[in-house]
């Protein structure tokens, strides 16, 4: 969806569209029933994504420019605490508008059709041991292959120079 804000003429005032500046500050832009107030109950690494543009100011430097925000929204469920949240990612850019066009601050959002389920799982000691052994075994394999390639290259180089044996 898209939400846009635009300056408009009123019966009392007429705007000069060439000098309209749509710089703005966002205090809150959230999704869900609690209006983002439940973000304080989220794990710390998820709190910043509940309302990423809160308290930020978006400024345009020149005339005939307007900010356009792109927000991706993903429903997130925290299984252990039964908390539901909407996590957001945010990007924005400034676009140039025609001189006759009224600049608008646009917020385009996309609701993701998937749900992220965050589940805290305990890791067993044998899972940790298996991971350590896999790392050690992988390092050993890579070093063995490297030594084999170096040995082969050395033998080939000596043979081509006639210094073998």
């Amino acid at each position: 969806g898209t939400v846009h804000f635009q300056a408009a003429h009123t019966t009392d005032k007429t705007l000069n569209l060439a000098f309209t500046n749509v710089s703005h500050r966002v205090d809150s832009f959230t999704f869900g029933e609690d209006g983002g107030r439940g973000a304080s109950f989220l794990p710390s690494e998820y709190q910043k994504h509940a309302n990423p543009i809160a308290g930020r100011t978006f400024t345009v430097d020149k005339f005939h420019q307007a900010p356009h925000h792109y927000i991706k929204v993903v429903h997130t469920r925290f299984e252990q605490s039964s908390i539901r949240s909407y996590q957001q990612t945010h990007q924005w850019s400034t676009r140039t508008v025609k001189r006759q066009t009224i600049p608008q601050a646009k917020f385009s959002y996309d609701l993701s059709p998937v749900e992220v389920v965050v589940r805290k799982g305990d890791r067993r000691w044998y899972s940790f041991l298996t991971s350590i052994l896999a790392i050690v075994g992988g390092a050993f394999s890579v070093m063995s292959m490297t030594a084999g390639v170096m040995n082969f290259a050395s033998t080939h180089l000596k043979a081509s120079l006639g210094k073998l044996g």
Side-chain angles (χ1 to χ4, degrees):
T2 302
V3 176
H4 67 271
F5 298 96
Q6 167 181 318
H9 301 291
T10 64
T11 54
D12 300 344
K13 298 195 179 10
T14 302
L15 296 174
N16 183 345
L17 300 179
F19 296 110
T20 302
N21 186 330
V22 289
S23 296
H24 57 278
R25 174 184 162 84
V26 178
D27 288 322
S28 180
F29 196 90
T30 60
F31 293 83
E33 297 169 1
D34 68 351
R37 290 183 295 276
S40 60
F41 297 111
L42 296 175
S44 59
E45 61 269 19
Y46 294 95
Q47 287 180 3
K48 65 181 177 182
H49 296 294
N51 195 359
I53 59 177
R56 291 184 55 195
T57 302
F58 301 94
T59 309
V60 292
D61 322 8
K62 302 175 185 169
F63 296 123
H64 315 296
Q65 288 188 336
H68 193 160
H69 302 271
Y70 304 93
I71 301 169
K72 182 76 170 175
V73 183
V74 178
H75 183 255
T76 307
R77 182 169 44 100
F78 298 89
E79 203 168 67
Q80 296 242 317
S81 60
S82 300
I83 295 175
R84 293 178 176 273
S85 171
Y86 288 92
Q87 300 290 292
Q88 303 174 29
T89 58
H90 172 258
Q91 296 177 359
W92 76 289
S93 64
T94 304
R95 67 189 196 292
T96 303
V97 296
K98 296 178 188 172
R99 189 174 176 88
Q100 298 82 10
T101 306
I102 301 172
Q104 302 173 343
K106 284 191 179 183
F107 294 81
S108 297
Y109 59 92
D110 182 25
L111 299 173
S112 178
V114 298
E115 176 184 64
V116 174
V117 178
V118 178
R119 158 182 315 137
K120 185 176 182 180
D122 294 332
R123 192 164 190 189
R124 302 279 184 189
W125 66 269
Y126 51 81
S127 174
F128 177 72
L129 182 64
T130 303
S131 298
I132 294 296
L133 292 175
I135 292 170
V136 171
F140 180 76
S141 297
V142 169
M143 295 305 273
S144 297
M145 286 189 290
T146 304
V149 167
M150 295 299 279
N151 192 12
F152 177 76
S154 172
T155 304
H156 232 298
L157 181 64
K158 285 181 181 178
S160 69
L161 295 175
K163 294 185 177 184
L164 194 60

